[in-house]
Amino acid sequence: MPQAPDSVRALAAAYTCGHCNSNTARLAQAEDGMWHIGIEHDDGCPVLNGTVSDIHDTLRALRRSA
Ligand SMILES: [Zn+2]
């Protein structure tokens, strides 16, 4: 499998869930070439079950990784 681009790895390294404090668990590339950053949230995390959006954590990670 090809290695993720620097920008994707930097974003993954900077991501932390604001609710359960989980970090990136894995990176995977889909067949269409899009990279996906998998987060291993704790059981019951409101982000994991969709109660709360992860957009704020994603934006914080983008700012940290820039
Ligand atoms: Zn979480």
Side-chain angles (χ1 to χ4, degrees):
M1 172 177 270
Q3 187 171 17
D6 289 347
S7 58
V8 173
R9 288 186 288 122
L11 177 62
Y15 188 95
T16 299
C17 178
H19 294 274
C20 71
N21 296 317
S22 289
N23 297 107
T24 300
R26 67 198 173 288
L27 295 174
Q29 189 175 29
E31 288 185 19
D32 64 3
M34 177 72 76
W35 282 93
H36 295 267
I37 300 173
I39 308 299
E40 194 161 322
H41 296 277
D42 292 348
D43 290 342
C45 176
V47 175
L48 180 63
N49 66 23
T51 301
V52 177
S53 170
D54 66 353
I55 189 64
H56 298 99
D57 295 327
T58 303
L59 292 173
R60 273 191 288 275
L62 280 168
R63 189 174 59 213
R64 288 186 198 124
S65 68

